[in-house]
Short mmCIF file of all heavy atoms in Angstrom, two decimals:
data_model
loop_
_atom_site.label_atom_id
_atom_site.label_comp_id
_atom_site.label_asym_id
_atom_site.label_seq_id
_atom_site.Cartn_x
_atom_site.Cartn_y
_atom_site.Cartn_z
N ILE Q 1 8.15 4.00 8.63
CA ILE Q 1 8.27 3.72 7.17
C ILE Q 1 8.23 5.11 6.28
O ILE Q 1 7.79 6.13 6.84
CB ILE Q 1 7.08 2.78 6.73
CG1 ILE Q 1 5.66 3.53 6.86
CG2 ILE Q 1 7.11 1.38 7.55
CD1 ILE Q 1 4.57 2.84 6.38
N GLU Q 2 8.62 4.95 5.14
CA GLU Q 2 8.64 5.89 4.08
C GLU Q 2 7.91 5.42 2.94
O GLU Q 2 7.98 4.26 2.60
CB GLU Q 2 9.99 6.34 3.73
CG GLU Q 2 10.83 6.95 4.79
CD GLU Q 2 12.15 7.42 4.40
OE1 GLU Q 2 12.39 7.98 3.30
OE2 GLU Q 2 13.20 6.90 5.04
N GLY Q 3 7.22 6.45 2.19
CA GLY Q 3 6.29 5.92 1.14
C GLY Q 3 6.18 7.07 0.18
O GLY Q 3 6.37 8.32 0.58
N GLU Q 4 5.97 6.84 -0.98
CA GLU Q 4 5.67 7.79 -2.11
C GLU Q 4 4.71 7.16 -3.17
O GLU Q 4 4.74 5.91 -3.33
CB GLU Q 4 6.91 8.31 -2.74
CG GLU Q 4 7.49 7.24 -3.58
CD GLU Q 4 8.80 7.87 -4.35
OE1 GLU Q 4 9.00 9.13 -4.58
OE2 GLU Q 4 9.60 6.97 -4.61
N ILE Q 5 3.84 8.08 -3.71
CA ILE Q 5 3.01 7.54 -4.82
C ILE Q 5 3.91 7.51 -6.15
O ILE Q 5 4.39 8.63 -6.45
CB ILE Q 5 1.74 8.56 -5.04
CG1 ILE Q 5 0.90 8.45 -3.67
CG2 ILE Q 5 0.93 8.24 -6.20
CD1 ILE Q 5 -0.16 9.47 -3.74
N VAL Q 6 3.89 6.42 -6.80
CA VAL Q 6 4.57 6.31 -8.03
C VAL Q 6 3.58 6.69 -9.14
O VAL Q 6 3.96 7.42 -10.06
CB VAL Q 6 5.01 4.76 -8.25
CG1 VAL Q 6 5.53 4.62 -9.66
CG2 VAL Q 6 5.99 4.43 -7.15
N SER Q 7 2.30 6.26 -9.13
CA SER Q 7 1.39 6.68 -10.06
C SER Q 7 -0.04 6.61 -9.43
O SER Q 7 -0.35 5.63 -8.86
CB SER Q 7 1.49 5.76 -11.28
OG SER Q 7 0.44 5.98 -12.17
N PRO Q 8 -0.79 7.58 -9.67
CA PRO Q 8 -2.17 7.59 -9.12
C PRO Q 8 -3.20 6.97 -10.04
O PRO Q 8 -4.36 6.90 -9.78
CB PRO Q 8 -2.44 9.16 -8.83
CG PRO Q 8 -1.81 9.77 -9.86
CD PRO Q 8 -0.49 8.94 -10.10
N TYR Q 9 -2.84 6.72 -11.36
CA TYR Q 9 -3.82 6.41 -12.32
C TYR Q 9 -3.35 5.10 -13.09
O TYR Q 9 -2.23 5.00 -13.39
CB TYR Q 9 -4.03 7.46 -13.52
CG TYR Q 9 -4.41 8.77 -12.79
CD1 TYR Q 9 -3.60 9.86 -12.68
CD2 TYR Q 9 -5.78 8.92 -12.36
CE1 TYR Q 9 -4.09 11.00 -12.18
CE2 TYR Q 9 -6.21 10.08 -11.72
CZ TYR Q 9 -5.33 11.12 -11.70
OH TYR Q 9 -5.70 12.32 -11.17
N PRO Q 10 -4.32 4.15 -13.41
CA PRO Q 10 -5.73 4.28 -13.11
C PRO Q 10 -6.00 3.83 -11.53
O PRO Q 10 -7.02 4.31 -10.93
CB PRO Q 10 -6.31 3.19 -14.02
CG PRO Q 10 -5.25 2.17 -14.23
CD PRO Q 10 -3.96 3.02 -14.19
N THR Q 11 -5.02 3.13 -10.81
CA THR Q 11 -5.05 2.81 -9.50
C THR Q 11 -3.81 3.27 -8.89
O THR Q 11 -2.82 3.41 -9.63
CB THR Q 11 -5.51 1.35 -9.29
OG1 THR Q 11 -4.54 0.61 -9.84
CG2 THR Q 11 -6.89 0.97 -9.79
N LEU Q 12 -3.85 3.29 -7.52
CA LEU Q 12 -2.59 3.84 -6.91
C LEU Q 12 -1.52 2.70 -7.03
O LEU Q 12 -1.65 1.57 -6.76
CB LEU Q 12 -2.82 4.04 -5.39
CG LEU Q 12 -3.56 5.31 -5.09
CD1 LEU Q 12 -3.89 5.24 -3.51
CD2 LEU Q 12 -2.68 6.52 -5.38
N LYS Q 13 -0.27 3.28 -7.40
CA LYS Q 13 0.93 2.54 -7.32
C LYS Q 13 1.71 3.23 -6.28
O LYS Q 13 1.98 4.34 -6.48
CB LYS Q 13 1.55 2.24 -8.58
CG LYS Q 13 0.71 1.47 -9.59
CD LYS Q 13 1.35 1.41 -10.93
CE LYS Q 13 0.61 0.44 -11.95
NZ LYS Q 13 -0.49 1.03 -12.49
N ILE Q 14 2.34 2.54 -5.32
CA ILE Q 14 3.22 3.19 -4.35
C ILE Q 14 4.46 2.56 -4.15
O ILE Q 14 4.66 1.34 -4.52
CB ILE Q 14 2.51 3.39 -2.96
CG1 ILE Q 14 2.41 1.92 -2.38
CG2 ILE Q 14 1.15 3.93 -3.01
CD1 ILE Q 14 2.14 1.94 -0.86
N ARG Q 15 5.56 3.15 -3.76
CA ARG Q 15 6.75 2.60 -3.37
C ARG Q 15 6.92 2.82 -1.83
O ARG Q 15 6.67 4.07 -1.37
CB ARG Q 15 7.83 3.30 -4.15
CG ARG Q 15 9.20 2.69 -3.82
CD ARG Q 15 10.35 3.33 -4.78
NE ARG Q 15 10.07 3.12 -6.04
CZ ARG Q 15 9.84 4.14 -6.99
NH1 ARG Q 15 9.90 5.36 -6.63
NH2 ARG Q 15 9.59 3.85 -8.23
N TRP Q 16 7.34 1.91 -1.08
CA TRP Q 16 7.42 2.06 0.40
C TRP Q 16 8.75 1.37 0.80
O TRP Q 16 9.20 0.48 0.20
CB TRP Q 16 6.36 1.68 1.19
CG TRP Q 16 5.98 0.18 1.07
CD1 TRP Q 16 5.22 -0.40 -0.01
CD2 TRP Q 16 6.40 -0.88 2.04
NE1 TRP Q 16 5.20 -1.81 0.40
CE2 TRP Q 16 5.97 -2.07 1.65
CE3 TRP Q 16 7.13 -0.72 3.21
CZ2 TRP Q 16 6.13 -3.19 2.38
CZ3 TRP Q 16 7.33 -1.88 3.91
CH2 TRP Q 16 6.84 -3.09 3.40
N GLY Q 17 9.22 1.93 1.98
CA GLY Q 17 10.44 1.23 2.54
C GLY Q 17 10.58 1.23 4.05
O GLY Q 17 9.92 2.22 4.65
N TYR Q 18 11.37 0.33 4.51
CA TYR Q 18 11.47 0.23 5.93
C TYR Q 18 12.86 -0.48 6.14
O TYR Q 18 13.08 -1.56 5.62
CB TYR Q 18 10.26 -0.63 6.62
CG TYR Q 18 10.40 -0.87 8.06
CD1 TYR Q 18 10.37 0.31 8.94
CD2 TYR Q 18 10.73 -2.06 8.47
CE1 TYR Q 18 10.45 -0.10 10.30
CE2 TYR Q 18 10.88 -2.42 9.86
CZ TYR Q 18 10.76 -1.41 10.70
OH TYR Q 18 10.82 -1.59 12.04
N ASN Q 19 13.67 0.06 7.10
CA ASN Q 19 14.93 -0.53 7.35
C ASN Q 19 15.67 -1.00 6.19
O ASN Q 19 16.23 -2.11 6.18
CB ASN Q 19 14.63 -1.75 8.32
CG ASN Q 19 14.48 -1.37 9.69
OD1 ASN Q 19 14.79 -0.25 10.18
ND2 ASN Q 19 14.03 -2.27 10.53
N GLY Q 20 15.78 -0.05 5.19
CA GLY Q 20 16.53 -0.40 3.93
C GLY Q 20 15.94 -1.23 2.98
O GLY Q 20 16.55 -1.39 1.86
N ILE Q 21 14.80 -1.79 3.26
CA ILE Q 21 13.99 -2.60 2.25
C ILE Q 21 13.11 -1.63 1.52
O ILE Q 21 12.36 -0.91 2.09
CB ILE Q 21 13.17 -3.72 2.92
CG1 ILE Q 21 14.06 -4.64 3.64
CG2 ILE Q 21 12.36 -4.39 1.89
CD1 ILE Q 21 13.41 -5.71 4.51
N ILE Q 22 13.19 -1.52 0.26
CA ILE Q 22 12.40 -0.61 -0.68
C ILE Q 22 11.60 -1.58 -1.63
O ILE Q 22 12.16 -2.46 -2.33
CB ILE Q 22 13.08 0.37 -1.41
CG1 ILE Q 22 13.83 1.18 -0.40
CG2 ILE Q 22 12.23 1.13 -2.33
CD1 ILE Q 22 14.84 2.29 -0.97
N THR Q 23 10.35 -1.39 -1.69
CA THR Q 23 9.51 -2.30 -2.52
C THR Q 23 8.36 -1.40 -3.12
O THR Q 23 8.03 -0.38 -2.66
CB THR Q 23 8.97 -3.45 -1.76
OG1 THR Q 23 8.23 -4.38 -2.61
CG2 THR Q 23 7.98 -3.07 -0.61
N GLN Q 24 7.73 -1.94 -4.24
CA GLN Q 24 6.64 -1.28 -4.85
C GLN Q 24 5.49 -2.01 -4.74
O GLN Q 24 5.42 -3.38 -4.77
CB GLN Q 24 6.88 -1.00 -6.40
CG GLN Q 24 5.91 -0.21 -7.09
CD GLN Q 24 6.32 0.28 -8.37
OE1 GLN Q 24 7.45 0.85 -8.44
NE2 GLN Q 24 5.63 0.13 -9.44
N CYS Q 25 4.23 -1.47 -4.60
CA CYS Q 25 3.03 -2.13 -4.44
C CYS Q 25 1.93 -1.48 -5.39
O CYS Q 25 1.77 -0.31 -5.50
CB CYS Q 25 2.59 -1.88 -3.02
SG CYS Q 25 1.03 -2.77 -2.58
N ASN Q 26 1.33 -2.36 -6.18
CA ASN Q 26 0.24 -1.94 -7.04
C ASN Q 26 -1.16 -2.28 -6.53
O ASN Q 26 -1.52 -3.33 -6.47
CB ASN Q 26 0.40 -2.58 -8.48
CG ASN Q 26 1.75 -2.31 -9.04
OD1 ASN Q 26 2.31 -1.24 -9.10
ND2 ASN Q 26 2.41 -3.43 -9.55
N THR Q 27 -1.78 -1.11 -5.90
CA THR Q 27 -2.98 -1.44 -5.36
C THR Q 27 -4.24 -1.57 -6.28
O THR Q 27 -4.05 -1.08 -7.55
CB THR Q 27 -3.39 -0.38 -4.40
OG1 THR Q 27 -3.83 0.85 -4.96
CG2 THR Q 27 -2.20 -0.06 -3.40
N GLN Q 28 -5.38 -1.92 -5.76
CA GLN Q 28 -6.63 -1.68 -6.63
C GLN Q 28 -7.47 -0.60 -6.18
O GLN Q 28 -8.75 -0.65 -6.34
CB GLN Q 28 -7.34 -3.19 -6.56
CG GLN Q 28 -6.46 -4.22 -7.14
CD GLN Q 28 -7.19 -5.55 -7.14
OE1 GLN Q 28 -8.31 -5.67 -7.61
NE2 GLN Q 28 -6.66 -6.65 -6.70
N LEU Q 29 -6.89 0.40 -5.42
CA LEU Q 29 -7.60 1.45 -4.84
C LEU Q 29 -7.48 2.70 -5.73
O LEU Q 29 -6.44 2.94 -6.33
CB LEU Q 29 -7.05 1.79 -3.51
CG LEU Q 29 -7.26 0.70 -2.47
CD1 LEU Q 29 -6.58 0.93 -1.21
CD2 LEU Q 29 -8.75 0.32 -2.23
N TYR Q 30 -8.44 3.60 -5.79
CA TYR Q 30 -8.48 4.86 -6.50
C TYR Q 30 -8.32 5.92 -5.51
O TYR Q 30 -8.74 5.95 -4.36
CB TYR Q 30 -9.82 5.03 -7.25
CG TYR Q 30 -10.06 3.88 -8.24
CD1 TYR Q 30 -10.77 2.73 -7.82
CD2 TYR Q 30 -9.48 3.93 -9.47
CE1 TYR Q 30 -10.96 1.76 -8.81
CE2 TYR Q 30 -9.76 2.89 -10.32
CZ TYR Q 30 -10.46 1.77 -10.04
OH TYR Q 30 -10.75 0.90 -10.86
N GLY Q 31 -7.66 7.09 -5.91
CA GLY Q 31 -7.58 8.25 -5.13
C GLY Q 31 -6.42 8.36 -4.27
O GLY Q 31 -6.06 7.42 -3.54
N ASN Q 32 -5.63 9.48 -4.30
CA ASN Q 32 -4.54 9.70 -3.60
C ASN Q 32 -4.81 9.65 -2.12
O ASN Q 32 -3.93 9.48 -1.28
CB ASN Q 32 -4.05 11.09 -3.96
CG ASN Q 32 -3.32 10.96 -5.35
OD1 ASN Q 32 -3.21 10.02 -6.00
ND2 ASN Q 32 -2.89 12.20 -5.82
N TYR Q 33 -6.14 9.94 -1.69
CA TYR Q 33 -6.64 10.01 -0.26
C TYR Q 33 -6.31 8.72 0.33
O TYR Q 33 -6.19 8.58 1.70
CB TYR Q 33 -7.97 10.43 -0.12
CG TYR Q 33 -8.89 9.70 -0.89
CD1 TYR Q 33 -9.52 8.58 -0.48
CD2 TYR Q 33 -9.36 10.05 -2.24
CE1 TYR Q 33 -10.40 7.79 -1.17
CE2 TYR Q 33 -10.23 9.25 -2.95
CZ TYR Q 33 -10.79 8.21 -2.44
OH TYR Q 33 -11.60 7.50 -3.16
N ASN Q 34 -6.23 7.63 -0.37
CA ASN Q 34 -5.96 6.26 0.23
C ASN Q 34 -4.50 6.04 0.65
O ASN Q 34 -4.26 4.98 1.24
CB ASN Q 34 -6.40 5.18 -0.82
CG ASN Q 34 -7.88 4.93 -0.77
OD1 ASN Q 34 -8.45 4.76 0.36
ND2 ASN Q 34 -8.61 5.12 -1.91
N PHE Q 35 -3.55 6.81 0.14
CA PHE Q 35 -2.17 6.82 0.44
C PHE Q 35 -1.82 6.57 1.82
O PHE Q 35 -1.17 5.67 2.24
CB PHE Q 35 -1.42 7.87 -0.31
CG PHE Q 35 0.05 7.85 -0.02
CD1 PHE Q 35 0.84 6.78 -0.60
CD2 PHE Q 35 0.83 8.71 0.89
CE1 PHE Q 35 2.12 6.64 -0.47
CE2 PHE Q 35 2.09 8.60 0.93
CZ PHE Q 35 2.83 7.64 0.42
N ASN Q 36 -2.40 7.43 2.64
CA ASN Q 36 -2.01 7.31 4.19
C ASN Q 36 -2.70 6.11 4.76
O ASN Q 36 -2.11 5.50 5.72
CB ASN Q 36 -2.62 8.61 4.77
CG ASN Q 36 -1.59 9.81 4.56
OD1 ASN Q 36 -0.41 9.61 4.35
ND2 ASN Q 36 -2.21 11.00 4.51
N ASN Q 37 -3.93 5.71 4.31
CA ASN Q 37 -4.43 4.48 4.78
C ASN Q 37 -3.50 3.15 4.44
O ASN Q 37 -3.44 2.34 5.21
CB ASN Q 37 -5.87 4.30 4.23
CG ASN Q 37 -6.78 5.38 4.65
OD1 ASN Q 37 -6.59 5.91 5.66
ND2 ASN Q 37 -7.74 5.54 3.65
N ILE Q 38 -2.97 3.36 3.29
CA ILE Q 38 -2.09 2.19 2.85
C ILE Q 38 -0.88 2.22 3.75
O ILE Q 38 -0.45 1.04 4.20
CB ILE Q 38 -1.78 2.15 1.32
CG1 ILE Q 38 -3.04 1.95 0.59
CG2 ILE Q 38 -0.68 1.23 0.91
CD1 ILE Q 38 -2.89 2.45 -0.92
N LEU Q 39 -0.27 3.28 3.99
CA LEU Q 39 0.99 3.32 4.77
C LEU Q 39 0.61 2.85 6.30
O LEU Q 39 1.46 2.16 6.89
CB LEU Q 39 1.55 4.65 4.83
CG LEU Q 39 2.13 5.25 3.50
CD1 LEU Q 39 2.70 6.66 3.79
CD2 LEU Q 39 3.22 4.28 2.99
N ALA Q 40 -0.53 3.25 6.64
CA ALA Q 40 -0.94 2.73 8.03
C ALA Q 40 -1.12 1.38 8.13
O ALA Q 40 -0.77 0.70 9.09
CB ALA Q 40 -2.35 3.45 8.46
N ALA Q 41 -1.66 0.69 7.07
CA ALA Q 41 -1.81 -0.77 6.99
C ALA Q 41 -0.39 -1.40 6.89
O ALA Q 41 -0.15 -2.52 7.59
CB ALA Q 41 -2.55 -1.26 5.71
N ILE Q 42 0.49 -0.84 6.23
CA ILE Q 42 1.86 -1.33 6.07
C ILE Q 42 2.58 -1.33 7.45
O ILE Q 42 3.13 -2.17 7.90
CB ILE Q 42 2.64 -0.49 5.03
CG1 ILE Q 42 2.11 -0.89 3.51
CG2 ILE Q 42 4.19 -0.87 5.24
CD1 ILE Q 42 2.66 -0.04 2.50
N ALA Q 43 2.39 -0.11 8.13
CA ALA Q 43 3.04 0.06 9.45
C ALA Q 43 2.41 -0.96 10.45
O ALA Q 43 3.23 -1.50 11.32
CB ALA Q 43 2.76 1.46 9.93
N THR Q 44 1.20 -1.13 10.45
CA THR Q 44 0.52 -2.27 11.23
C THR Q 44 1.11 -3.59 11.02
O THR Q 44 1.42 -4.28 11.87
CB THR Q 44 -1.01 -2.19 11.10
OG1 THR Q 44 -1.45 -0.86 11.34
CG2 THR Q 44 -1.53 -3.23 11.95
N GLY Q 45 1.32 -3.92 9.84
CA GLY Q 45 1.87 -5.15 9.39
C GLY Q 45 3.18 -5.27 9.90
O GLY Q 45 3.61 -6.41 10.41
N ILE Q 46 4.01 -4.32 9.80
CA ILE Q 46 5.45 -4.39 10.27
C ILE Q 46 5.53 -4.51 11.66
O ILE Q 46 6.21 -5.40 12.27
CB ILE Q 46 6.21 -3.08 9.78
CG1 ILE Q 46 6.41 -3.17 8.22
CG2 ILE Q 46 7.49 -2.94 10.44
CD1 ILE Q 46 7.02 -1.74 7.71
N TYR Q 47 4.61 -3.84 12.45
CA TYR Q 47 4.56 -3.87 13.87
C TYR Q 47 4.18 -5.40 14.40
O TYR Q 47 4.78 -5.80 15.40
CB TYR Q 47 3.49 -2.99 14.40
CG TYR Q 47 3.30 -2.94 15.93
CD1 TYR Q 47 4.04 -2.33 16.70
CD2 TYR Q 47 2.26 -3.81 16.47
CE1 TYR Q 47 4.04 -2.37 18.16
CE2 TYR Q 47 2.11 -3.83 17.89
CZ TYR Q 47 3.00 -3.05 18.61
OH TYR Q 47 2.89 -3.14 20.01
N PHE Q 48 3.52 -6.06 13.63
CA PHE Q 48 3.11 -7.37 14.00
C PHE Q 48 4.00 -8.50 13.40
O PHE Q 48 3.68 -9.54 13.42
CB PHE Q 48 1.70 -7.69 13.63
CG PHE Q 48 0.68 -7.04 14.64
CD1 PHE Q 48 0.01 -5.85 14.32
CD2 PHE Q 48 0.51 -7.50 15.93
CE1 PHE Q 48 -0.94 -5.26 15.28
CE2 PHE Q 48 -0.33 -6.90 16.90
CZ PHE Q 48 -0.98 -5.77 16.51
N GLY Q 49 5.10 -8.01 12.66
CA GLY Q 49 6.06 -8.98 12.25
C GLY Q 49 5.72 -9.61 10.79
O GLY Q 49 6.33 -10.54 10.47
N VAL Q 50 4.96 -8.98 10.09
CA VAL Q 50 4.55 -9.47 8.73
C VAL Q 50 5.56 -9.07 7.83
O VAL Q 50 6.11 -7.87 7.79
CB VAL Q 50 3.19 -9.05 8.30
CG1 VAL Q 50 2.76 -9.54 6.88
CG2 VAL Q 50 2.19 -9.22 9.22
N ASP Q 51 6.04 -9.93 6.94
CA ASP Q 51 7.05 -9.61 6.07
C ASP Q 51 6.51 -8.79 4.85
O ASP Q 51 5.48 -8.76 4.54
CB ASP Q 51 7.73 -10.92 5.40
CG ASP Q 51 6.86 -11.83 4.66
OD1 ASP Q 51 6.79 -11.60 3.37
OD2 ASP Q 51 6.20 -12.69 5.27
N GLU Q 52 7.48 -8.12 4.21
CA GLU Q 52 7.13 -7.23 3.03
C GLU Q 52 6.38 -7.80 2.01
O GLU Q 52 5.59 -7.36 1.35
CB GLU Q 52 8.32 -6.35 2.60
CG GLU Q 52 9.27 -7.03 1.84
CD GLU Q 52 10.34 -7.85 2.54
OE1 GLU Q 52 10.30 -7.73 3.79
OE2 GLU Q 52 11.14 -8.51 2.01
N LYS Q 53 6.85 -9.02 1.54
CA LYS Q 53 5.94 -9.76 0.58
C LYS Q 53 4.58 -9.98 0.89
O LYS Q 53 3.71 -9.76 0.06
CB LYS Q 53 6.79 -11.18 0.27
CG LYS Q 53 6.19 -11.90 -0.91
CD LYS Q 53 6.89 -13.23 -1.07
CE LYS Q 53 6.32 -13.98 -2.26
NZ LYS Q 53 5.91 -15.30 -2.07
N THR Q 54 4.37 -10.50 2.17
CA THR Q 54 2.95 -10.75 2.44
C THR Q 54 2.23 -9.44 2.61
O THR Q 54 1.00 -9.46 2.29
CB THR Q 54 2.93 -11.60 3.89
OG1 THR Q 54 3.71 -12.79 3.63
CG2 THR Q 54 1.41 -11.83 4.19
N ILE Q 55 2.83 -8.39 3.11
CA ILE Q 55 2.17 -7.03 3.19
C ILE Q 55 1.75 -6.55 1.76
O ILE Q 55 0.53 -6.26 1.54
CB ILE Q 55 3.16 -6.00 3.80
CG1 ILE Q 55 3.21 -6.32 5.29
CG2 ILE Q 55 2.53 -4.67 3.52
CD1 ILE Q 55 4.25 -5.36 6.02
N ASN Q 56 2.61 -6.59 0.74
CA ASN Q 56 2.38 -6.27 -0.74
C ASN Q 56 1.18 -7.20 -1.07
O ASN Q 56 0.31 -6.72 -1.82
CB ASN Q 56 3.52 -6.46 -1.49
CG ASN Q 56 4.34 -5.11 -1.41
OD1 ASN Q 56 3.96 -4.10 -0.74
ND2 ASN Q 56 5.46 -5.05 -1.93
N GLU Q 57 1.37 -8.43 -0.99
CA GLU Q 57 0.26 -9.37 -1.60
C GLU Q 57 -1.12 -9.00 -0.94
O GLU Q 57 -2.14 -9.06 -1.64
CB GLU Q 57 0.64 -10.76 -1.37
CG GLU Q 57 1.86 -11.32 -2.02
CD GLU Q 57 2.23 -12.76 -1.69
OE1 GLU Q 57 1.76 -13.32 -0.56
OE2 GLU Q 57 3.10 -13.26 -2.48
N SER Q 58 -1.02 -8.74 0.32
CA SER Q 58 -2.38 -8.47 0.98
C SER Q 58 -3.05 -7.08 0.52
O SER Q 58 -4.15 -7.00 0.23
CB SER Q 58 -2.25 -8.36 2.49
OG SER Q 58 -1.70 -9.60 2.84
N ILE Q 59 -2.12 -6.08 0.33
CA ILE Q 59 -2.71 -4.74 -0.15
C ILE Q 59 -3.01 -4.93 -1.68
O ILE Q 59 -4.07 -4.42 -2.05
CB ILE Q 59 -1.55 -3.68 -0.02
CG1 ILE Q 59 -1.32 -3.49 1.59
CG2 ILE Q 59 -2.02 -2.44 -0.75
CD1 ILE Q 59 -0.27 -2.54 1.92
N GLU Q 60 -2.28 -5.50 -2.38
CA GLU Q 60 -2.56 -5.68 -3.90
C GLU Q 60 -3.72 -6.49 -3.97
O GLU Q 60 -4.53 -6.33 -4.97
CB GLU Q 60 -1.34 -6.47 -4.71
CG GLU Q 60 -0.20 -5.40 -4.71
CD GLU Q 60 1.05 -6.13 -5.37
OE1 GLU Q 60 1.11 -7.36 -5.45
OE2 GLU Q 60 1.89 -5.39 -5.65
N GLY Q 61 -4.21 -7.42 -3.15
CA GLY Q 61 -5.46 -8.31 -3.33
C GLY Q 61 -6.65 -7.65 -2.77
O GLY Q 61 -7.66 -8.21 -2.98
N TYR Q 62 -6.38 -6.53 -1.95
CA TYR Q 62 -7.70 -6.01 -1.39
C TYR Q 62 -8.44 -5.29 -2.41
O TYR Q 62 -7.99 -4.34 -3.22
CB TYR Q 62 -7.26 -4.92 -0.26
CG TYR Q 62 -8.55 -4.21 0.32
CD1 TYR Q 62 -9.30 -4.79 1.10
CD2 TYR Q 62 -8.66 -2.98 -0.15
CE1 TYR Q 62 -10.39 -4.22 1.63
CE2 TYR Q 62 -9.76 -2.16 0.37
CZ TYR Q 62 -10.69 -2.82 1.29
OH TYR Q 62 -11.74 -2.10 1.65
N VAL Q 63 -9.85 -5.51 -2.40
CA VAL Q 63 -10.64 -4.88 -3.41
C VAL Q 63 -11.82 -4.27 -2.49
O VAL Q 63 -12.46 -5.00 -1.82
CB VAL Q 63 -11.25 -5.74 -4.29
CG1 VAL Q 63 -12.28 -5.05 -5.35
CG2 VAL Q 63 -10.22 -6.47 -5.15
N SER Q 64 -12.05 -2.96 -2.61
CA SER Q 64 -13.00 -2.26 -1.85
C SER Q 64 -14.35 -2.65 -2.33
O SER Q 64 -14.59 -2.74 -3.51
CB SER Q 64 -12.82 -0.82 -1.92
OG SER Q 64 -13.94 -0.16 -1.33
N ASP Q 65 -15.29 -2.95 -1.49
CA ASP Q 65 -16.70 -3.32 -1.88
C ASP Q 65 -17.67 -2.30 -1.39
O ASP Q 65 -18.91 -2.78 -1.33
CB ASP Q 65 -16.96 -4.79 -1.36
CG ASP Q 65 -17.00 -4.81 0.09
OD1 ASP Q 65 -16.84 -3.89 0.81
OD2 ASP Q 65 -17.34 -5.93 0.58
N ASN Q 66 -17.23 -1.15 -1.03
CA ASN Q 66 -18.23 -0.20 -0.54
C ASN Q 66 -18.93 0.67 -1.61
O ASN Q 66 -19.74 1.51 -1.38
CB ASN Q 66 -17.69 0.74 0.50
CG ASN Q 66 -16.54 1.66 -0.06
OD1 ASN Q 66 -16.25 1.55 -1.27
ND2 ASN Q 66 -15.74 2.36 0.75
N ASN Q 67 -18.47 0.50 -2.89
CA ASN Q 67 -19.29 1.03 -4.11
C ASN Q 67 -19.17 2.66 -3.99
O ASN Q 67 -20.19 3.23 -4.40
CB ASN Q 67 -20.58 0.62 -4.33
CG ASN Q 67 -20.67 -0.88 -4.66
OD1 ASN Q 67 -19.72 -1.34 -5.35
ND2 ASN Q 67 -21.58 -1.63 -4.05
N ARG Q 68 -18.22 3.20 -3.37
CA ARG Q 68 -18.06 4.65 -3.38
C ARG Q 68 -17.01 5.08 -4.31
O ARG Q 68 -16.13 4.49 -4.75
CB ARG Q 68 -17.69 5.13 -1.97
CG ARG Q 68 -18.86 4.85 -1.05
CD ARG Q 68 -18.78 5.57 0.23
NE ARG Q 68 -17.48 5.25 1.01
CZ ARG Q 68 -17.03 5.88 1.99
NH1 ARG Q 68 -17.57 6.84 2.39
NH2 ARG Q 68 -15.86 5.41 2.74
#
């Protein structure tokens, strides 16, 4: 997969692609350091056959609860 940060503020917005499919994802995560974690989650979803719409919905719906 390939990805890039579209905007880091106020939360991460990324663009990612795989096999000619390019999509954008608006996360609820702060900090550029989460970018590689997001790409790893996307790659895991692709590996297990999850479609890009479901991957984006899952990432966009994730809210961290660790209060850090």
Side-chain angles (χ1 to χ4, degrees):
I1 67 169
E2 296 180 48
E4 67 179 336
I5 296 174
V6 174
S7 174
Y9 301 106
T11 57
L12 281 177
K13 292 180 174 79
I14 68 164
R15 184 175 300 118
W16 65 274
Y18 174 75
N19 278 349
I21 297 170
I22 299 172
T23 185
Q24 186 164 310
C25 184
N26 302 317
T27 77
Q28 297 184 49
L29 298 172
Y30 300 95
N32 293 351
Y33 55 87
N34 280 306
F35 178 66
N36 288 329
N37 297 331
I38 295 166
L39 289 183
I42 292 168
T44 301
I46 291 169
Y47 178 81
F48 285 104
V50 180
D51 65 89
E52 70 277 352
K53 181 179 182 231
T54 303
I55 290 172
N56 276 353
E57 288 173 352
S58 298
I59 291 171
E60 290 176 347
Y62 174 75
V63 178
S64 176
D65 63 358
N66 63 7
N67 297 322
R68 292 195 296 171

